[in-house]
Amino acid sequence: MRLLRKIFREILIWFDAVLIHMPGVIGLKLRYFFYRGRFASCGPKVTFSEGCRIKNFSNIRIGGYVSFGPGAEIYAEQSPEGIEIGDHVCFNSNVMINADKGRGIKIGADVLVGPNVVFRPADHRFARRDVLIREQGDKAGRILVEEDVWIGANAVILKDVTIKKGAVVAAGAVVVRDVEEYDIVGGVPARPIGKRG
């Protein structure tokens, strides 16, 4: 029985490797068809573009009408809250949503995410000099993005951050603290640079 499970897992890995790179509309349809039942929940009309990589489907909940651009990466291993994505969310190419070893990531409805954005709710510990950084473990946090937020290209969202309703994160910003409603933030670290409306 154990051998059969190992063989099945290996076949699934090979199948996923082919499915990830299948081009065109047929690839989009097949990925949705084969992926949706593996998630904790998955709404209608979700598109996974070519090159999307997903780890631990069962710890990810996705609303409806969500799109993931080419090369998106979605990781939810060793994360007690996993990843939750609301309806009508659009992720551009090469977005990384990496909840591994973090407490979780929650992204509300109607959020726009530019290319190359990184969500990472965990950091390496590094205070001790007598222990290798890789052996000091991680600090777990969470990320919350409320509804109607726009996150520009190449932004990085780090642990224990809430980006509140209607906010805009400028391209290249590194967000290390909360962003208030309708604020526009930019820079490293991100600071308020304006207000919507």
Side-chain angles (χ1 to χ4, degrees), residues 2-63:
R2 188 182 293 170
L3 179 62
L4 284 175
R5 270 190 245 129
K6 283 183 179 180
I7 292 169
F8 178 75
R9 259 188 255 128
E10 189 69 22
I11 290 169
L12 191 59
I13 290 167
W14 279 83
F15 179 75
D16 280 347
V18 171
L19 196 58
I20 285 168
H21 297 291
M22 195 171 287
V25 175
I26 291 172
L28 288 173
K29 300 278 186 198
L30 286 174
R31 278 187 288 276
Y32 177 65
F33 179 79
F34 284 106
Y35 289 173
R36 67 181 177 184
R38 294 166 68 185
F39 288 107
S41 63
C42 184
K45 307 243 179 176
V46 177
T47 58
F48 302 95
S49 296
E50 196 173 339
C52 286
R53 297 189 183 282
I54 302 163
K55 285 190 341 192
N56 201 0
F57 285 83
S58 62
N59 207 14
I60 302 169
R61 293 169 297 288
I62 299 175

Side-chain angles (χ1 to χ4, degrees), residues 73-112:
E73 298 179 55
I74 312 156
Y75 303 144
E77 293 186 322
Q78 299 176 35
S79 174
E81 297 169 27
I83 296 171
E84 184 177 336
I85 298 168
D87 296 332
H88 300 281
V89 178
C90 181
F91 298 96
N92 210 306
S93 56
N94 301 313
V95 171
M96 176 180 274
I97 308 163
N98 187 349
D100 285 359
K101 299 180 183 176
R103 289 199 306 263
I105 298 172
K106 183 174 181 180
I107 299 172
D110 301 300
V111 172
L112 298 173

Side-chain angles (χ1 to χ4, degrees), residues 160-197:
D160 296 328
V161 162
T162 297
I163 301 175
K164 295 183 180 172
K165 179 180 176 179
V168 174
V169 176
V174 177
V175 182
V176 296
R177 61 179 69 90
D178 291 353
V179 177
E180 295 305 313
E181 285 189 5
Y182 303 106
D183 270 3
I184 303 167
V185 299
V188 181
R191 291 184 167 84
I193 57 174
K195 196 91 170 168
R196 281 182 60 196

